[in-house]
Amino acid sequence: MTREQLVATATRLFADRGYEDTSIEAVLHESDVSRGALYHHFAGKEALFEAVLDAVGVKIKEDLAAVTGDTDDAVAALRAGCLAWIRLATDPVVQRVLLIDAPSVLGWQRWRERDERDTLGMLKIALRAAAKAGRLRTELVDPFAHMLLAALNEIAFVIARAEDPDSAGREGQAAVEELLERLLGPAQ
């Protein structure tokens, strides 16, 4: 229970204050946990942040699975997943933890490795299914997966840093819908 309590408290604080402005002392105070208990579970603030990042990642995967799991149409699932990701980019926790702080806390290379491990494979699977359905040339699956990942991440970064994330999110969704229609043809 203590580990989950620490991660939940740290998630809230990191999302509200950011990594740099959240101290271990604040997490300890807010969670009413001893320093020894925190260090029993985490080597330090960065390790706690990585646990928060993992928890946010699990929630994102669950949210994406909820919108993509009801269809056998891989292209429809790809569209739904991409659009759900853009909606998730308007969530303050996702914005702050995953899109703003994670690249600097982990370093760009480690952040990219995590993103490729967690997201690129799913995009390749969906694009292979689209290719099998005749919607995309097979030899373009890998390059398009990288390009789509880059496009989705870039619009998510724009949303996370926008003065009006909701408006930026709506614009981002429209742009992603248009991109996918041009890439894969109209929704069927």
Side-chain angles (χ1 to χ4, degrees), residues 147-165:
M147 291 166 60
L148 187 53
L149 178 62
L152 293 170
N153 281 343
E154 188 60 28
I155 198 65
F157 287 136
V158 168
I159 293 165
R161 288 177 168 75
E163 284 187 35
D164 182 356

Side-chain angles (χ1 to χ4, degrees), residues 12-70:
R12 182 175 49 78
L13 292 174
F14 287 143
D16 289 345
R17 301 175 184 178
Y19 179 82
E20 290 300 322
D21 292 330
T22 300
S23 66
I24 287 293
E25 289 72 23
V27 174
L28 294 173
H29 175 75
E30 293 282 328
S31 63
D32 197 29
V33 171
S34 72
R35 184 172 301 277
L38 182 135
Y39 286 110
H40 172 75
H41 294 287
F42 304 103
K45 183 176 168 182
E46 186 174 326
L48 177 59
F49 181 81
E50 286 195 53
V52 166
L53 187 58
D54 289 342
V56 170
V58 166
K59 175 75 168 90
I60 289 169
K61 286 177 189 174
E62 290 170 352
D63 290 351
L64 293 177
V67 300
T68 61
D70 289 343

